[in-house]
């Protein structure tokens, strides 16, 4: 009987705690997007969230822990964006891969730029994170290469793992240029696709090689 009386109160406290966490994370996201990672402080976050500094520490930990929490959200959203039905055509698959990422970044470009910069500075990124963006995206690139090889689009002369490294590396370099403000998202797409297609061309069948050349001409012409 006692459990049935205390459970609703406990559930309410847990629900309120979850809502408080969501509000604080939303405010942290806005602060990072608006002021940049370096200007983001626990003091200001607590103030605009209407809670005490110890409350923020109790719910999340330190500044790095809050950024890591935001990265978990980022990774989950990217994972969802990439977990779509596979396409048969290898060129279309590459374009779908990059377009899903860019559609996500376009939703809140300022935040994602700031989050990537902050995460890299804190060492949260990315090889060490088994389920991080690097490894998730690399696994997608490996699937693209393996499927293209199995369907005869790639010759198989180059190990799929190393080919995938180059495919993903082209996208990652473009992302870094975008994060640092050297290029916009339109240029990001073109730079990433050119690099990815050139990587595919190294092991492409004659037919795919011709298609890649035509697509490269369209992208760079």
């Amino acid at each position: 009987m006692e459990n049935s009386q205390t459970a609703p109160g406990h559930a309410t406290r847990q629900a309120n705690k979850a809502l408080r966490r969501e509000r604080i994370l939303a405010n942290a996201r806005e602060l990072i997007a608006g002021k940049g990672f370096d200007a983001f402080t626990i003091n200001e976050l607590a103030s605009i969230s209407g809670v005490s500094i110890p409350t923020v520490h109790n719910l999340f930990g330190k500044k790095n822990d809050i950024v890591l929490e935001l990265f978990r959200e980022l990774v989950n959203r990217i994972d969802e964006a990439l977990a779509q039905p596979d396409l048969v055509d290898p060129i279309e698959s590459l374009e779908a891969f990059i377009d899903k990422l860019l559609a996500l970044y376009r939703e809140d470009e300022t935040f994602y730029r700031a989050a990537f910069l902050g995460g890299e500075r804190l060492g949260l990124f990315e090889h060490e994170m088994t389920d991080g963006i690097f490894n998730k995206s690399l696994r997608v690139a490996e699937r693209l290469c393996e499927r293209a090889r199995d369907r005869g689009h790639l010759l198989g002369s180059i190990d799929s793992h190393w080919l995938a490294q180059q495919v993903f590396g082209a996208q990652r370099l473009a992302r870094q240029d975008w994060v640092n403000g050297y290029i916009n998202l339109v240029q990001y797409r073109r730079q990433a696709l050119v690099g990815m297609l050139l990587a595919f061309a190294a092991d492409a069948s004659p037919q795919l090689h011709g298609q890649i050349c035509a697509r490269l001409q369209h992208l760079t012409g």
Side-chain angles (χ1 to χ4, degrees):
M1 186 69 173
E2 183 178 351
N3 288 339
S4 64
Q5 292 175 340
T6 58
H10 175 73
T12 299
R13 286 193 298 272
Q14 291 300 108
N16 289 337
K17 181 179 178 180
L19 288 173
R20 194 180 304 118
R21 281 177 56 86
E22 290 177 10
R23 184 175 73 250
I24 293 171
L25 280 177
N27 289 333
R29 184 185 182 115
E30 291 180 7
L31 282 174
I32 292 172
K35 296 190 173 183
F37 174 76
D38 291 331
F40 166 59
T41 66
I42 296 292
N43 289 13
E44 185 173 9
L45 176 61
S47 176
I48 68 171
S49 299
V51 299
S52 66
I53 293 173
T55 296
V56 176
H57 286 306
N58 289 335
L59 289 174
F60 296 100
K62 300 179 180 179
K63 175 178 175 177
N64 293 13
D65 298 310
I66 295 174
V67 177
L68 182 57
E69 188 76 16
L70 288 171
F71 260 99
R72 290 195 182 101
E73 175 194 345
L74 176 105
V75 170
N76 289 336
R77 294 185 69 187
I78 290 176
D79 198 31
E80 290 173 4
L82 295 176
Q84 301 294 329
D86 293 330
L87 298 172
V88 174
D89 183 270
I91 296 178
E92 289 181 1
S93 295
L94 289 179
E95 293 185 344
F97 172 62
I98 192 66
D99 285 343
K100 286 168 188 172
L101 287 176
L102 296 190
L104 180 61
Y105 299 155
R106 198 171 287 113
E107 291 177 8
D108 196 344
E109 188 173 348
T110 303
F111 165 73
Y112 283 117
R113 268 182 162 156
F116 276 120
L117 282 171
E120 289 175 354
R121 192 169 302 153
L122 290 174
L124 302 177
F125 223 42
E126 20 194 350
H127 297 70
E128 296 80 5
M129 299 171 65
T130 304
D131 292 325
I133 299 169
F134 179 91
N135 286 297
K136 284 181 180 293
S137 298
L138 181 57
R139 285 194 291 271
V140 172
E142 287 176 343
R143 290 201 304 270
L144 293 175
C145 294
E146 289 167 359
R147 188 171 64 251
R149 180 202 61 204
D150 293 343
R151 290 173 175 165
H153 299 298
L154 297 178
L155 300 176
S157 302
I158 300 175
D159 185 270
S160 294
H161 173 75
W162 292 109
L163 189 60
Q165 290 271 11
Q166 298 306 308
V167 169
F168 174 63
Q171 186 278 134
R172 189 165 182 253
L173 179 59
R175 190 195 69 207
Q176 288 176 330
D177 284 347
W178 165 70
V179 164
N180 286 288
Y182 303 140
I183 59 176
N184 59 32
L185 285 177
V186 173
Q187 294 166 319
Y188 179 157
R189 183 181 191 274
R190 181 170 60 246
Q191 179 178 321
L193 283 175
V194 167
M196 295 163 82
L197 288 169
L198 286 173
F200 257 29
D203 195 43
S205 67
Q207 181 179 2
L208 179 61
H209 193 275
Q211 293 172 346
I212 288 174
C213 289
R215 188 63 185 137
L216 287 171
Q217 180 64 34
H218 176 76
L219 286 169
T220 61

